[in-house]
Amino acid sequence: MIGSDRPLNETNHFEKLANKIDDFQVIILYDRQPNQFDYDYLLHFPSEKLKYKIESTCIFPRSKSETFIVRQQKYEENFDLFFKLRIKARDEMLVRITEFLTAKFYSTNEHHLIPLLENKPTLKWEILNKLFQKYEAMLKLNTRLNDEQSWEGFRKLFKTYLLNHALEEMVQNYGYEHLHSMDKEELNRLFFQKMNSNFATNDNFIDTFTDVVNMYMKKWIPEIVVQFEVEKDPMKQITTMLEASHPVAEHQHIETTVKNNNFTVMSNPIYQFITEALSNRKFIQNEYGEWPRASIQNNTLSGSVQLVPLDNVQAPDNGEDMQELANHITELDIDVLDTLCHLYLTRSSDTSDHVKIRLDDLLHSRGLKTKLGGTGRRGGFEKQQRTQFLKALSIIQSLWIEMDTIVVYKQGKAVKKPIQGRAFLFTSEKGHPYSFTMDQQNDVFLVTIGEAFEHFLKGSGRQVKLQPNQAVEFNPYQRKWEKKLIRYLSWRWRTQARKASYLQPHKISTLLEKLDVQLDSQAPSRIRDRFEKALDLLEEERVISFWQYNNWDESCVEKKGWLRIWQEATVSIAPPDEIITYYQPIERKNTVKNPTNPFLLHGKEEVYNKIGSDFKERRTKLGMTLQQVSNELKISTSYISNIERGVAKPSASVYKRMRDWLDNMG
């Protein structure tokens, strides 16, 4: 009933006035402009503003239009004309819904689409238009949106809303007594004048009217979204739409492969600095007893990261305890950091999300198994394992970032700004600060990122990398060098992806610095052997495709002080093919891809094709087993077997050992 929330006496007055108002129709003439998918629009689609509209289901925006209130009698006298205008307005609403669904698909699946579409505005334009055409066709088949009764219900709702709104304004301006004194025609003339004035000049009315329309649209959208399954198997939908099954399906296959073989972690300079500072124990307490600090000064970062306990930023009263904690940081702590980062990135859709994490999620992600219970079934994790992870989480929780200068990108432009705050924020499910202690009864917590990382996880400025699982799964004590190399190389591959310069040489001294190798503490030959062994293992594990020296003369080993010469040499380390293929969409156009590399690769292919078959032939003639030659050459049996079968390719050092063995056994 109209005005049912008013006092009874007032409601009666309101209804008497409403009954005097002639029936009417609302005619809207839209001034629609065709979509202009220019480069700037595509580059920022979907924008943050558009994402907000999607989240709030704001389908029907304020737009240029002319709106007329037509009495029912006039409407019927010109029925054909006005009905066509009504159908046109209805079609415009369907266009708005179609645009909303297109934007929703793209926004929801942005993490799938960015690697495929970055720097490819033509393909992005094609997908947007194909999506629009698809949803437009589906809407036409939607029985509810083509049901006249549904639209009639929609029309009645707004007629009631408009009637109420205009009459309430009239009552406020003139009062019931004056309005009742008017004859019907005079009252209607005032009513329709008020209605047309509202649509023409009343911004508050237009805003409220738009909100009410969107509220009604919200009732239809969930049904349509479920029917279309806009969030289901997006890559398959894109493949079908583009009728280009090979390249898109290939990318989908690569995407599945790399996600199985790699973690997704942040690759921004702050995160990279934190992992290196933790790994190499760079957190040092100064003479004033302040919190342990690791500092950095380069072109993109200027500042420090400190270890500051929760809720104790200002006054260091337990700095010695934190320094003791810093002195006992292990590779396991960085494993937990990477695992936490991976779980957050894969489970969140926005930088403001709070992701639920269970302690067991972190333990499982590292490849750890639960111990067996008394019945032979899996029980829980060992207390020592849980203690190690809780200690790692307490370190991560204490990370406090203070950057005087940080370079971020806004609409493609570099902007320098200061930043301060926690790297990660942890709370209980009830929103209280979470403490990582053994007496904590609840192993479930929520995590979100600090402000410093938000700048690197939005839109086209999103900076994440693929990091091979072995970085987390390798033993943190026995495989320390390998883990450090994986983290550094995966970061370098991500930064090299834009230019596809994957074979850009690495200076050995730089790699040793990342490994935190103290040259004076070990024999030179031991350092070199351990370095080559680490790269060989990464190749054996297929973390890298191959590695080889570029400008190293082996005869230098006979010279005094050869370690210094060796440090100045360089090595090329190639990523797996799946990594190169996955990053291919973000390559810049017209990139010159290492003009000297074809010679390097050609020579390497000859090595690959020849050594395996020669080695197997000689070994079998000598009657030697894989285990025998493995023990002799210090190369794993599986690695030798894969080389013999052509499945794996030897590194330069492994090739040299196999080649020398063949020559000696000749």
Side-chain angles (χ1 to χ4, degrees):
M1 179 179 290
I2 297 173
S4 59
D5 58 339
R6 301 179 181 87
L8 181 59
N9 185 48
E10 187 177 344
T11 299
N12 291 335
H13 282 296
F14 201 89
E15 286 189 354
K16 287 179 181 179
L17 291 174
N19 290 333
K20 292 181 181 181
I21 302 300
D22 291 341
D23 196 9
F24 61 89
Q25 296 283 349
V26 181
I27 305 299
I28 303 177
L29 303 178
Y30 289 101
D31 181 18
R32 163 160 283 272
Q33 298 295 323
N35 287 331
Q36 298 296 322
F37 289 142
D38 57 23
Y39 183 81
D40 187 65
Y41 174 80
L42 289 169
L43 189 65
H44 300 101
F45 181 89
S47 64
E48 294 302 318
K49 183 177 180 181
L50 183 58
K51 288 180 182 179
Y52 172 78
K53 290 182 177 181
I54 294 168
E55 292 170 1
S56 58
T57 320
C58 182
I59 304 163
F60 192 82
R62 288 190 56 173
S63 59
K64 290 183 178 181
S65 62
E66 292 186 72
T67 305
F68 302 95
I69 308 301
V70 180
R71 296 197 195 193
Q72 188 67 25
Q73 181 182 351
K74 290 288 186 181
Y75 179 84
E76 292 175 355
E77 291 174 356
N78 300 277
F79 179 81
D80 290 341
L81 171 62
F82 286 130
F83 185 75
K84 288 180 181 179
L85 293 176
R86 279 186 60 193
I87 294 300
K88 187 176 180 180
R90 184 187 300 182
D91 290 341
E92 175 65 20
M93 293 194 71
L94 293 176
V95 169
R96 298 293 188 186
I97 296 174
T98 306
E99 290 176 338
F100 173 83
L101 292 171
T102 302
K104 181 175 178 63
F105 179 94
Y106 195 102
S107 181
T108 302
N109 299 291
E110 188 176 8
H111 58 291
H112 289 289
L113 292 166
I114 283 178
L116 182 65
L117 304 181
E118 193 168 1
N119 300 320
K120 295 185 179 180
T122 303
L123 183 57
K124 185 184 284 188
W125 176 89
E126 186 175 358
I127 288 179
L128 289 175
N129 278 281
K130 290 281 188 179
L131 282 169
F132 187 92
Q133 294 167 13
K134 174 183 177 180
Y135 294 140
E136 185 178 42
M138 294 175 111
L139 282 173
K140 290 179 179 178
L141 297 175
N142 185 285
T143 55
R144 179 161 185 179
L145 295 180
N146 290 282
D147 180 14
E148 194 63 32
Q149 289 184 350
S150 295
W151 287 102
E152 183 62 21
F154 180 73
R155 185 182 71 86
K156 287 181 178 180
L157 173 74
F158 287 105
K159 283 180 64 176
T160 302
Y161 165 74
L162 295 172
L163 178 64
N164 282 354
H165 192 280
L167 283 178
E168 285 175 351
E169 285 191 329
M170 290 165 61
V171 169
Q172 289 177 1
N173 293 335
Y174 302 102
Y176 283 113
E177 184 176 350
H178 179 73
L179 294 174
H180 281 308
S181 67
M182 292 181 177
D183 61 33
K184 182 178 180 182
E185 182 57 32
E186 187 181 5
L187 180 66
N188 273 274
R189 192 163 47 247
L190 180 62
F191 172 81
F192 286 109
Q193 180 183 351
K194 172 58 68 177
M195 290 271 283
N196 284 310
S197 175
N198 277 337
F199 276 108
T201 61
N202 192 335
D203 287 340
N204 290 333
F205 170 81
I206 296 296
D207 289 338
T208 306
F209 175 79
T210 302
D211 289 341
V212 174
V213 173
N214 281 315
M215 286 178 63
Y216 195 90
M217 290 288 97
K218 283 183 180 182
K219 298 178 181 179
W220 283 354
I221 286 298
E223 172 191 322
I224 298 170
V225 170
V226 171
Q227 179 180 336
F228 290 177
E229 297 181 312
V230 297
E231 299 178 12
K232 184 177 181 180
D233 201 355
M235 297 303 294
K236 184 176 181 181
Q237 291 189 49
I238 293 170
T239 299
T240 303
M241 283 186 296
L242 295 180
E243 298 178 351
S245 58
H246 176 67
V248 179
E250 179 183 15
H251 192 276
Q252 184 181 20
H253 170 71
I254 291 295
E255 183 177 14
T256 302
T257 302
V258 297
K259 284 186 176 180
N260 289 336
N261 296 336
N262 297 270
F263 275 30
T264 301
V265 298
M266 288 186 280
S267 64
N268 63 71
I270 295 180
Y271 187 84
Q272 185 64 24
F273 169 60
I274 288 174
T275 56
E276 291 184 7
L278 289 171
S279 178
N280 296 334
R281 297 181 182 176
K282 297 298 185 182
F283 290 88
I284 304 298
Q285 186 181 31
N286 64 19
E287 58 184 355
Y288 303 108
E290 295 180 347
W291 301 117
R293 178 192 304 264
S295 300
I296 186 171
Q297 179 78 43
N298 59 32
N299 293 333
T300 57
L301 290 179
S302 175
S304 65
V305 177
Q306 301 176 61
L307 294 180
V308 182
L310 195 63
D311 298 328
N312 201 354
V313 176
Q314 299 299 329
D317 56 4
N318 58 346
E320 296 296 332
D321 292 342
M322 294 304 292
Q323 184 61 56
E324 181 69 16
L325 187 66
N327 293 338
H328 291 87
I329 291 174
T330 69
E331 292 301 306
L332 177 61
D333 299 317
I334 298 92
D335 292 346
V336 177
L337 173 62
D338 283 338
T339 305
L340 182 74
C341 183
H342 169 74
L343 292 176
Y344 178 82
L345 291 176
T346 54
R347 294 181 182 182
S348 63
S349 58
D350 188 81
T351 55
S352 62
D353 286 350
H354 287 70
V355 174
K356 182 187 291 188
I357 304 287
R358 290 178 171 80
L359 186 60
D360 284 2
D361 294 342
L362 298 170
L363 291 156
H364 281 299
S365 295
R366 194 178 174 276
L368 298 177
K369 304 296 184 182
T370 53
K371 64 180 180 180
L372 292 176
T375 60
R377 297 181 179 180
R378 286 288 177 188
F381 289 99
E382 296 179 2
K383 182 178 179 180
Q384 181 184 4
Q385 293 174 324
R386 300 175 69 82
T387 301
Q388 289 175 330
F389 273 64
L390 287 170
K391 171 244 183 183
L393 288 167
S394 67
I395 292 174
I396 297 168
Q397 186 178 46
S398 69
L399 292 170
W400 178 265
I401 299 169
E402 286 187 358
M403 291 294 160
D404 303 319
T405 301
I406 176 175
V407 177
V408 298
Y409 289 86
K410 293 185 177 180
Q411 298 184 348
K413 296 182 179 180
V415 178
K416 291 185 177 181
K417 62 176 298 183
I419 202 76
Q420 184 182 76
R422 294 285 177 190
F424 291 89
L425 303 172
F426 300 88
T427 61
S428 67
E429 292 183 278
K430 294 182 179 180
H432 304 304
Y434 193 93
S435 179
F436 294 104
T437 59
M438 285 303 296
D439 57 1
Q440 178 67 255
Q441 297 299 312
N442 188 358
D443 285 342
V444 179
F445 57 89
L446 302 180
V447 62
T448 189
I449 59 172
E451 181 185 354
F453 291 145
E454 289 183 9
H455 303 287
F456 302 102
L457 291 177
K458 291 183 177 180
S460 58
R462 184 177 174 87
Q463 295 184 25
V464 298
K465 68 176 181 178
L466 295 172
Q467 183 167 283
N469 294 342
Q470 290 92 331
V472 169
E473 294 174 354
F474 277 164
N475 186 290
Y477 305 102
Q478 298 174 355
R479 293 286 176 248
K480 183 185 297 186
W481 282 36
E482 288 80 3
K483 292 165 78 70
K484 288 172 181 279
L485 282 171
I486 291 173
R487 287 196 295 267
Y488 176 71
L489 291 173
S490 62
W491 176 65
R492 291 292 295 132
W493 292 334
R494 179 61 182 85
T495 60
Q496 293 164 343
R498 296 282 283 176
K499 296 182 179 180
S501 55
Y502 299 109
L503 291 179
Q504 183 177 346
H506 297 270
K507 202 170 184 179
I508 293 176
S509 60
T510 300
L511 296 176
L512 293 178
E513 178 186 344
K514 299 302 177 182
L515 292 169
D516 194 32
V517 175
Q518 305 301 319
L519 298 177
D520 296 336
S521 64
Q522 301 180 49
S525 58
R526 185 176 300 175
I527 293 175
R528 181 188 170 187
D529 289 346
R530 180 67 182 91
F531 177 79
E532 292 181 349
K533 180 181 179 181
L535 290 175
D536 287 343
L537 180 62
L538 295 187
E539 185 170 344
E540 181 180 344
E541 290 282 333
R542 302 190 184 182
V543 172
I544 63 177
S545 289
F546 70 86
W547 75 275
Q548 68 180 53
Y549 286 108
N550 293 321
N551 56 348
W552 169 243
D553 183 357
E554 190 63 32
S555 63
C556 290
V557 176
E558 300 174 2
K559 300 178 182 179
K560 185 178 181 180
W562 65 266
L563 180 63
R564 180 182 55 80
I565 303 173
W566 177 71
Q567 288 182 77
E568 295 302 311
T570 60
V571 290
S572 291
I573 306 172
D577 292 341
E578 65 186 36
I579 296 294
I580 296 175
T581 304
Y582 185 82
Y583 283 150
Q584 201 166 32
I586 67 175
E587 291 178 15
R588 288 175 179 164
K589 294 181 179 180
N590 303 321
T591 296
V592 178
K593 298 184 179 181
N594 304 310
T596 59
N597 288 339
F599 300 102
L600 178 130
L601 291 173
H602 177 70
K604 192 67 179 178
E605 286 300 324
E606 292 181 353
V607 170
Y608 294 162
N609 295 334
K610 187 71 173 164
I611 190 66
S613 57
D614 287 353
F615 193 87
K616 183 177 181 179
E617 180 181 358
R618 184 69 51 80
R619 179 180 62 79
T620 52
K621 282 184 178 180
L622 294 172
M624 298 183 68
T625 65
L626 284 171
Q627 187 62 58
Q628 287 175 314
V629 292
S630 171
N631 294 335
E632 187 173 335
L633 299 180
K634 307 300 181 185
I635 305 173
S636 71
T637 55
S638 61
Y639 193 17
I640 295 176
S641 174
N642 287 335
I643 294 172
E644 288 184 347
R645 292 183 292 113
V647 175
K649 302 172 184 178
S651 66
S653 62
V654 169
Y655 168 74
K656 184 177 184 304
R657 273 182 269 174
M658 296 176 73
R659 185 78 264 167
D660 289 345
W661 184 85
L662 286 172
D663 293 341
N664 292 333
M665 303 301 290

